[in-house]
Amino acid sequence: MAASVGQGCLRLLRGVAPWRSRRRHCEDIALSHFLQSLRKLPLRTFSTNARKVHTAPARTLSLLRPLLFLVATGGGYAGYRQYEKYQEREWEKLGLEIPPKLAGHWEVALYKSVPTRLLSRAWGRLNQVELPHWLRRPVYSLYIWTFGVNMKEAAVEDLHHYRNLSEFFRRKLKPQARPVCDLHSVISPSDGKILNFGQVKNCEVEQVKGVTYSLESFLGPRIPAEDLPFPPATSCGSFRSQLVTREGNELYHCVIYLAPGDYHCFHSPTDWTVSHRRHFPGSLMSVNPGMARWIKELFCHNERVVLTGDWKHGFFSLTAVGATNVGSIRIYFDQDLHTNSPRYSKGSYNDFSFVTHMNKEGIPMRKGEHLGEFNLGSTIVLIFEAPKDFNFKLKAGQKIRFGEALGSL
């Protein structure tokens, strides 16, 4: 009896074992097919009970990685620059001198690669678009609030009068708003902030304290002597000595920065005669004081219009320097001047002489007379010859208005 039971159990176990083996084999095959089907499925958006999860192909992620890196590094660099500007403002409040920290060649090259000329042309066209009557007051009021514009000095205070941004930027002042000082020989040609002033030494001019630019690079090669209304004091020597026309005189300079909220027109700083115009197409980098402390020879990189001539003490020049969104520089008596034009290439310059057979002297300008205008804030640079006892009535960093004294003998 026991033997028969044992044989029965043995036959039962022999039947179960193959069944378990076959079941395990089937499960392995099913799992293998399931995994293969998952590999073939594209990565798409799927839902869970908690939230919606988005996925992307690995190739897209690999393409986004450089962009994310550039955004992260660019954002970090921009944040660092903003922190430096904050420090500079705090130092200015405390009356401390801000040490210059010059940009590297790669930083300047990177900045110049930005299409500022194209952007400035687009901005200029946008400024010409006529605004709806109902939109003018809120748009101009925002600009006035942002940049601290004093509309009480404007010849027309009604904001609805200005059809577009360009007309608002070029608004005229009331005649009594800027009295011209008659007691001093040189007045400020515009509203703005004094960045630097003093004597020109060693053919280098300071755009701000401690940061210089080349006088010859800024003004360009010397105008041929036969095209000048006055001969140089010396026929050789440094570029500076070639500009000085009288023995015992010195060369002086003054840099005035026009902020976006300032009066945008500029005037004649003295009684003088304009004999020549030289236009330098160039970059349109920002010329605010922070950038002037950061980029060496900033004014030499940017587009500018150099007016040269003479006054009662010899050589005199006024240069209007363009900036970002300020590609438009207008000289009222020069209809042939076209700035920020695609037909001009960077690194070149074009000359125009106002001395002709019909006009042997040039264009006479009276002190305070309207000379030109910017489309937005920018910079005016005066470089002139005067006797050694010429004195500036200025302080670096001070605010100045058109008509106030720059200096006199």
Side-chain angles (χ1 to χ4, degrees):
M1 181 70 180
S4 63
V5 172
Q7 289 177 359
C9 291
L10 181 61
R11 285 196 298 271
L12 179 63
L13 289 173
R14 287 176 179 174
V16 171
W19 177 80
R20 287 181 177 176
S21 177
R22 287 195 299 271
R23 180 181 177 183
R24 187 179 296 109
H25 179 68
C26 292
E27 289 177 351
D28 291 342
I29 293 175
L31 180 61
S32 177
H33 283 296
F34 177 72
L35 293 175
Q36 287 179 3
S37 63
L38 281 181
R39 292 192 187 99
K40 293 179 181 179
L41 286 175
L43 293 175
R44 299 179 182 276
T45 303
F46 62 90
S47 300
T48 66
N49 293 332
R51 58 182 177 178
K52 192 174 183 180
V53 180
H54 295 272
T55 63
R59 182 179 297 177
T60 305
L61 290 175
S62 64
L63 293 175
L64 285 176
R65 282 171 187 163
L67 178 61
L68 295 174
F69 175 76
L70 290 175
V71 170
T73 54
Y77 182 75
Y80 175 71
R81 289 292 302 160
Q82 290 299 321
Y83 174 70
E84 285 189 331
K85 291 180 180 180
Y86 168 76
Q87 282 187 322
E88 291 174 358
R89 290 193 296 267
E90 293 300 314
W91 285 341
E92 286 182 347
K93 291 178 182 178
L94 297 174
L96 300 177
E97 183 177 333
I98 302 172
K101 185 178 180 180
L102 297 180
H105 292 294
W106 70 271
E107 291 175 303
V108 177
L110 181 63
Y111 191 4
K112 292 177 72 174
S113 67
V114 178
T116 52
R117 290 168 61 85
L118 180 62
L119 293 174
S120 297
R121 283 196 289 269
W123 173 254
R125 292 180 181 178
L126 179 63
N127 289 344
Q128 300 293 334
V129 175
E130 184 170 346
L131 296 176
H133 194 270
W134 60 268
L135 189 59
R136 296 174 187 177
R137 178 173 289 278
V139 170
Y140 300 147
S141 296
L142 177 62
Y143 187 90
I144 290 169
W145 176 79
T146 303
F147 297 107
V149 179
N150 185 4
M151 285 302 294
K152 292 182 179 179
E153 298 176 337
V156 180
E157 297 184 36
D158 182 14
L159 298 180
H160 294 105
H161 169 78
Y162 304 100
R163 294 174 297 177
N164 52 49
L165 286 168
S166 181
E167 287 187 2
F168 178 73
F169 294 149
R170 297 180 288 107
R171 63 193 177 277
K172 303 301 181 183
L173 297 180
K174 296 174 181 176
Q176 67 274 17
R178 296 290 188 276
V180 175
C181 179
D182 294 326
L183 301 178
H184 296 81
S185 54
V186 183
I187 62 170
S188 175
S190 65
D191 290 8
K193 179 180 180 180
I194 301 296
L195 294 188
N196 214 315
F197 62 93
Q199 285 191 18
V200 177
K201 298 179 180 179
N202 302 323
C203 295
E204 292 286 326
V205 186
E206 284 191 323
Q207 57 192 29
V208 294
K209 188 173 179 60
V211 183
T212 63
Y213 58 91
S214 165
L215 180 63
E216 186 171 5
S217 298
F218 182 69
L219 296 178
R222 187 76 171 104
I223 302 170
E226 59 269 17
D227 293 341
L228 293 174
F230 48 86
T234 59
S235 58
C236 60
S238 67
F239 184 80
R240 174 191 166 281
S241 65
Q242 294 178 28
L243 296 178
V244 177
T245 63
R246 301 180 186 179
E247 295 290 343
N249 280 0
E250 296 288 344
L251 204 61
Y252 298 88
H253 77 101
C254 182
V255 183
I256 305 171
Y257 167 69
L258 288 73
D262 288 328
Y263 170 56
H264 288 25
C265 298
F266 51 93
H267 301 246
S268 175
T270 191
D271 297 333
W272 65 308
T273 302
V274 183
S275 58
H276 186 268
R277 180 259 291 163
R278 176 169 285 164
H279 171 217
F280 290 85
S283 302
L284 289 172
M285 297 185 284
S286 173
V287 293
N288 65 59
M291 296 301 296
R293 281 190 292 268
W294 189 52
I295 298 180
K296 182 178 173 63
E297 297 200 337
L298 172 63
F299 300 154
C300 298
H301 291 296
N302 271 18
E303 181 161 13
R304 59 197 181 278
V305 177
V306 181
L307 301 178
T308 56
D310 65 308
W311 70 318
K312 60 183 179 181
H313 298 297
F315 173 81
F316 198 96
S317 72
L318 181 148
T319 302
V321 183
T324 306
N325 296 334
V326 198
S328 175
I329 302 173
R330 182 183 175 192
I331 305 297
Y332 293 138
F333 57 77
D334 189 355
Q335 301 301 318
D336 295 322
L337 176 64
H338 300 284
T339 58
N340 194 19
S341 173
R343 64 179 176 178
Y344 297 126
S345 59
K346 295 180 183 180
S348 63
Y349 65 86
N350 55 85
D351 290 331
F352 186 86
S353 177
F354 299 109
V355 178
T356 63
H357 294 291
M358 301 295 295
N359 183 3
K360 298 292 185 180
E361 296 183 354
I363 308 296
M365 297 296 300
R366 304 295 298 174
K367 185 196 296 184
E369 186 177 352
H370 279 85
L371 181 56
E373 63 188 32
F374 291 111
N375 194 41
L376 202 61
S378 193
T379 300
I380 296 287
V381 180
L382 302 179
I383 298 176
F384 57 93
E385 175 186 359
K388 292 182 178 180
D389 57 349
F390 181 88
N391 293 314
F392 284 101
K393 312 294 183 181
L394 303 172
K395 292 181 180 179
Q398 79 171 70
K399 293 287 293 183
I400 198 167
R401 303 200 303 177
F402 156 62
E404 295 179 347
L406 287 184
S408 62
L409 299 172

